[in-house]
Amino acid sequence: MSRENNNDPYTEIIEVTPEKCSTWMEKRTCNRVPLKRSNVDKFKSILRNGQYRTTHQGFALDWHGCLIDGQHRAAAIIETGTTVTAQVTYNLSPESFAAIDGGRVRSAGDFVAQITEMRQSNANVYAAALKILANRAAGFHWTRWTSGKLTAEQLQGLVPTWPIDERHIVSLVSKGKQCHASATGLIVAYKIITEVWPEHIADLFFDGIGEGSREFVGRDPRAMYTNTMLNVNRGVVSRDSVQQSAQAIKAFNALVSGESIGTLKKMKVSGVKIVRDRRTGEEIQQDYLADRYPDVIPPAINISETWLGSSSMEPNK
């Protein structure tokens, strides 16, 4: 029985040709990490200078035949037309991708793209939102929600905890561009709001921001949110994800409660301010705490008709 019919992982040293690499790269659909040009060029230089050596590092394929390691070497071999002798490991579990250093440090977005099969750009935004949601769930203060890094193993658990359809991510990315708001912040706000309200109610807000806000007049919170983001960020899409998720929640709260809002101020972090003692006139330092992240207003029996109109649906339907 040939080694290819063995279901256990195994390694062999073989001649790796440009044709073989082309076949492997065609089956690279499970490995969506984009090639880094500098790494390909590095391997091309090594090949052209005759400096390639057979070592423990080579190529790895999972049991579907997908190339999960060695993609930069394979691209360099194809582009230089060079044949090398290298180690090739077969029949690895697809989950091995998470533990492999494939020529560059993989980001959280790389792992999310591999887990969800999303486009890389969408996976990057989703991964950033997952980190914020995970830090929030861990009880961290909102000033620390963007801190730390997520491992591939953590992301495998977080994706099913806060699932979101890629089409919805595309929509929120588009909304973010329209009003210069953080797409990551909008995703975070959406997931937090839908912990309390059904999605079709949350959509009344998110569908109405950006270009959709043009149909609203007066001080409708959707228009106020859009205008605030445009004015504050002044033509540049903001990356202030946590702050803008809070601003979106405040605007949503106003929408469903029928309240009017002005500009949406950012939350203040803790710090020290100088105040004057009224009795002595002396200037003293006074500590102040950071603002609290807003809670989502709980569903009432009926949603306010102030902004939504009489055709609005009740939250429990």
Side-chain angles (χ1 to χ4, degrees), residues 64-298:
H64 301 297
C66 175
L67 183 67
I68 60 175
D69 191 27
Q71 57 181 4
H72 292 91
R73 296 180 184 87
I77 288 170
I78 293 169
E79 293 182 21
T80 59
T82 305
T83 296
V84 301
T85 301
Q87 281 202 144
V88 181
T89 300
Y90 304 89
N91 288 345
L92 288 173
S93 165
E95 295 180 358
S96 301
F97 174 87
I100 291 173
D101 176 10
R104 73 175 178 87
V105 177
R106 289 186 168 95
S107 67
D110 295 334
F111 291 123
V112 169
Q114 193 266 338
I115 294 167
T116 64
E117 297 188 352
M118 290 183 180
R119 289 185 59 181
Q120 186 69 43
S121 58
N122 298 327
N124 290 342
V125 177
Y126 184 23
L130 287 173
K131 180 167 69 171
I132 293 173
L133 292 166
N135 284 336
R136 169 179 173 264
F140 294 171
H141 192 271
W142 63 263
T143 55
R144 296 176 55 204
W145 285 1
T146 59
S147 63
K149 293 183 179 181
L150 296 175
T151 66
E153 290 73 18
Q154 287 174 313
L155 287 164
Q156 287 174 341
L158 295 178
V159 168
T161 301
W162 290 287
I164 186 167
D165 188 88
E166 185 171 14
R167 289 174 297 178
H168 208 149
I169 293 177
V170 171
S171 174
L172 292 176
V173 168
S174 176
K175 291 293 183 181
K177 291 179 180 178
Q178 292 166 17
C179 56
H180 302 161
S182 163
T184 296
L186 292 177
I187 293 173
V188 170
Y190 188 88
K191 299 308 291 184
I192 292 176
I193 288 170
T194 52
E195 290 175 354
V196 181
W197 292 83
E199 291 184 359
H200 70 279
I201 300 299
D203 290 340
L204 294 173
F205 172 76
F206 289 95
D207 290 346
I209 62 175
E211 293 178 357
S213 67
R214 294 174 181 174
E215 65 180 273
F216 305 120
V217 296
R219 300 179 69 82
D220 186 290
R222 291 162 288 199
M224 294 305 301
Y225 176 83
T226 299
N227 293 334
T228 298
M229 295 299 104
L230 290 173
N231 291 333
V232 170
N233 298 321
R234 300 197 180 280
V236 179
V237 175
S238 173
R239 296 182 179 179
D240 201 347
S241 303
V242 176
Q243 288 280 5
Q244 291 190 26
S245 68
Q247 290 167 306
I249 289 173
K250 291 176 183 178
F252 173 82
N253 287 343
L255 181 72
V256 295
S257 62
E259 298 176 356
S260 62
I261 55 173
T263 57
L264 291 157
K265 295 181 180 179
K266 290 185 176 182
M267 298 176 293
K268 293 185 298 184
V269 299
S270 59
V272 177
K273 62 182 177 180
I274 304 298
V275 297
R276 187 177 297 276
D277 190 300
R278 292 182 179 180
R279 295 176 299 171
T280 64
E282 180 184 1
E283 289 187 345
I284 58 175
Q285 290 186 343
Q286 186 177 79
D287 294 333
Y288 59 89
L289 299 176
D291 289 341
R292 189 172 63 85
Y293 192 85
D295 293 323
V296 178
I297 189 171

Side-chain angles (χ1 to χ4, degrees), residues 196-202 204 299-303 310-317:
V196 181
W197 292 83
E199 291 184 359
H200 70 279
I201 300 299
L204 294 173
I301 296 176
N302 293 301
I303 299 176
S310 58
S311 62
S312 298
M313 299 177 64
E314 295 181 5
N316 59 349
K317 291 186 179 179

